[in-house]
Amino acid sequence: MRHDARLDLLDQASERGTLRALDVAFARFLAAQDAHAAAVLPLLGALVSRQQADGHLCLDLASWEQLAEEFAWPSNWRALIAAATADPTSLTDSILVASPDAGDRAGSPLVLDGKRLYLRRYWNHEQRVALAIGRRLALSPSAPPQLAEQLARLFPAEASHGPDWQRIACALAARGAFTVITGGPGTGKTTTVVRLLGLLQTLQRNHSPRPLRIRLAAPTGKASARLQASISAQIAQLDVDNDVRATIPSQVDTLHRLLGARPDTRRFRHDSSDPLHLDVLVIDEASMIDLEMMSAVLAALPDDARLILLGDKDQLSSVEAGAVLGDLCRRAQMAHYSPATADWLRQTTGDDVDAWVRADAAPLDQHVAMLRQSHRFGAESGIGILAQATNEGDVTRVRQLLSRPHIDIAWADSAADTQRLAELVLDGGASRFAAPADGVSPQGYRHYLEWVRRERPRADADATAFDTWARGVLQSFGRFQLLCALRHGPMGAEGLNRQVTDILHRAGLIDASREWYEGRPVLVTRNDYNLGLMNGDVGIALRVPDENGRLHLRVAFEVAGEANEANTRIRFILPSRLGERETVYAMTVHKSQGSEFDHAALVLPDEASAVLTRELLYTGITRARRWFSLLAPASIIAHITQQSVRRHSGLHTHWEAFSE
């Protein structure tokens, strides 16, 4: 076979680690398919593949120089790409690249849309998501009768210093087929959606005997369990009639379970040919939804169904490609309401949003509501102030907050401080925090392991007693969580889990001389539909009696109840039956999304990397309810606060074409 000099650059990039083996293989495939293609095309194909792995939907040819600096491209690479970007349309001379309107190349592996180069599959997903949401935006807003009266009932008039954004969110959702409700931790997203569901069912009852078919979902098992617990507690307090309250669901599914995931395939049982049977779909933790999953959700959604997305726009985006919630909320901070929307809100809710009216208001903006008041973090909360300063990229303020003693923040200027790590793991590093007014101090893992021994039922106790004990162990474990940025390396999840295991073993709290021991916490890393366990579920190994009263090691999980059951239940599973799982004293921040802990401790590596962004730090901080600990060098804190991730996408450009 004749040597192809065009591929030498790819081999060099692979040796340096700039490209993955998969990226190089894709480039070689392109070169083999069209030997006469421009010399730069295989290189661009490899870069598109690499961009997708880094979470981008496309390769933005308009900003290739920034990427060149990040990857330290050699001058000959830059010369090739500079020539291609001077006239991107020349790339479509190859049969491998299609323009959006090139129907004769529907099977081409690459698509050039303006100056954005896509893998065909992701361009298709982006088009489907944009068109599906666009169709909902194009529908004329229709406010149900008696909306103002019911909003007044659910949101009694109170003295306030500004608009009631929860009430505004409910009003916008009640008149539209598509709504996004975003807000930081403690801003009341769940409270808002419970009131919204009560509002929608009440309005439905006023003109129809059939209640709305409402389904609730979240991306992971952990997120769905948390939403289910929160909703169940709030429904009973909702100011609606009893028959309405009975129609508000508390069962929350994972998106995979909702759509009917099929083993060993990316396809789902529910799609456009077999849509979901529902009138309203609410999805929590929407920041975790990647583009492909959003495409699947929208394909399975009936045309006349209402879709409501909840999430924090400032959290980390999905592990897979795309940042759908981020694209939807690009302008949420300033709202960008039109005069017509502002007038309607004033008449319907009594809220004045004139300060959020903008001349360049777009249709999407009229369907987005941002909750702005945190009920979890007060004005003096160190965690709340630190999260805000991080979100704003204010390095000076972040350093000031970390450098002084606080009742809910503690910082150590080194991730490799083994003594500090041991203090944190065992007892939560309580001595590092300022004395709390209520006398309650943060805890580490010693607390749940002592609970295992102290609260263990008698050997002859019934199954209910062991269920109660296991639930208590799981809840006690969930009060503290060690977080990290990476999977690999000494400061990654793998290295930290080994260190923590050794610390607890030497302290006599666990016997880690074998793989499975009582107290071992494990994280499920792949959905197991046979066992009913989802990616992200956490269990703890405990000794429980069998039918003959003999103690055996089982892994206890708290799982959702059956359909129409509000409560969770405990399942004990043989360790040998568990598929892909890992020890979870430490978990990545990505894995922690959808969870909250009384005390969250984040360990960052000593060296900067592209993974370390302010979104990661913000997400780690906001996993904490009462205490936050940070182990990180000052230089890394400066780096991470200044570095923000922006995923390349063309999704937001599509909705501008739809008129209000």
Side-chain angles (χ1 to χ4, degrees), residues 527-544:
N527 294 343
D528 188 328
Y529 297 98
N530 292 326
L531 292 178
L533 298 178
M534 298 292 113
N535 183 3
D537 285 348
V538 172
I540 296 180
L542 298 171
R543 289 187 298 121
V544 294

Side-chain angles (χ1 to χ4, degrees), residues 1 46 64 70 119 171 187 302 336-337 365 375 441 460 517 541 561 575:
M1 180 181 293
W64 69 269
E70 180 183 335
L119 295 175
T187 52
H336 289 81
Y337 291 136
D365 301 324
H375 303 281
S441 299
D460 58 354
Y517 53 85

Side-chain angles (χ1 to χ4, degrees), residues 172 175 335-347 351-362 365-366 660:
L172 293 175
R175 76 165 186 166
H336 289 81
Y337 291 136
S338 68
T341 296
D343 289 343
W344 180 81
L345 285 172
R346 187 181 298 106
Q347 296 170 19
D351 292 300
D352 183 353
V353 296
D354 285 350
W356 284 269
V357 170
R358 298 291 182 271
D360 61 342
D365 301 324
Q366 317 314 305
E660 187 177 358

Side-chain angles (χ1 to χ4, degrees), residues 222 232 236 298 306 308 319 325 439 469 481 535 583 631 648:
K222 191 71 173 178
S232 298
L298 289 165
R306 179 183 275 114
I308 300 160
V319 176
L325 187 69
W469 170 61
Q481 183 62 58
N535 183 3
T583 300
L631 275 68
H648 294 166

Side-chain angles (χ1 to χ4, degrees), residues 413-429:
D413 189 11
S414 174
D417 185 339
T418 54
Q419 180 180 350
R420 176 73 178 97
L421 180 63
E423 291 177 5
L424 189 62
V425 165
L426 290 171
D427 299 304

Side-chain angles (χ1 to χ4, degrees), residues 116-135:
R116 296 185 298 273
L117 188 63
Y118 293 81
L119 295 175
R120 162 68 67 176
R121 181 158 65 95
Y122 286 92
W123 185 82
N124 286 341
H125 285 316
E126 184 175 283
Q127 296 301 304
R128 291 167 187 152
V129 169
L131 289 171
I133 292 178
R135 283 194 294 269

